[in-house]
Amino acid sequence: MAKMKGIQVKVFSVDKTIDVKLDLEVEEHLQWLARLVRRGAIHGVIMGPPCTTWSVARWNRLFKGPRPLRTRSEPWGRTDVKLWTWEQRQLDEGTKLLLAAITIFELVSMMDGVALLEHPADMGWAPFASIWVLEVIRKLIK
């Protein structure tokens, strides 16, 4: 449809598993993407920050798996347990990428673009953490 109207559309994935220069945990990479948005080069985004540390599957004790790192009352990280180094890295990565997604979401929205945020649905009760109950997210989707 865009081609018929003479509009060129380019779609690209910003993912460090595709290219380490696209790691939005790195501030200069996030600022590069933000500059593209401010210049009007990006008109729409679909953001999907990793759900790894937000997943309700971490609460499933029927199978051996990673333990929960977030709770509904402590969505930025549990303080009732000592985290292993690798768990802290996972938590930090999930938090940084969520905050990066929020930054780009806000910028695209301010530029009258289309911004979508994809993440698992909220279970609706404790102990399950969810980005959808975070104040910063609730303000975005109003």
Side-chain angles (χ1 to χ4, degrees):
M1 174 91 101
K3 190 174 185 177
M4 290 179 358
K5 296 188 181 231
I7 300 171
Q8 183 181 26
V9 175
K10 290 188 178 187
V11 177
F12 67 98
S13 180
V14 177
D15 188 329
K16 70 181 179 181
T17 61
I18 295 171
D19 185 339
V20 294
K21 292 181 285 209
L22 299 175
D23 181 358
L24 295 186
E25 283 185 90
V26 177
E27 185 64 26
E28 77 180 53
H29 301 168
L30 177 60
Q31 291 310 315
W32 166 79
L33 188 59
R35 279 192 302 277
L36 288 176
V37 172
R38 284 189 202 97
R39 278 193 224 142
I42 295 176
H43 301 280
V45 293
I46 301 172
M47 306 295 293
C51 62
T52 314
T53 58
W54 297 90
S55 176
V56 298
R58 285 179 171 264
W59 291 94
N60 185 343
R61 294 296 120 213
L62 296 176
F63 302 98
K64 186 168 173 63
R67 65 183 173 161
L69 302 182
R70 303 177 191 271
T71 67
R72 198 168 195 84
S73 61
E74 293 185 298
W76 300 112
R78 292 176 65 181
T79 58
D80 64 328
V81 294
K82 177 155 177 36
L83 300 181
W84 296 98
T85 303
W86 66 271
E87 290 175 316
Q88 188 64 56
R89 272 196 306 266
Q90 275 190 336
L91 189 66
D92 292 345
E93 176 186 54
T95 298
K96 285 179 184 176
L97 291 173
L98 173 61
L99 295 174
I102 291 167
T103 297
I104 298 302
F105 187 104
E106 288 177 320
L107 279 173
V108 170
S109 296
M110 288 187 316
M111 299 292 292
D112 292 326
V114 176
L116 302 173
L117 189 59
E118 181 279 325
H119 218 257
D122 177 20
M123 292 295 287
W125 63 85
F128 308 116
S130 174
I131 70 166
W132 303 114
V133 298
L134 298 174
E135 189 62 29
V136 65
I137 298 292
R138 295 180 71 76
K139 286 178 181 176
L140 278 181
I141 59 178
K142 280 189 177 184

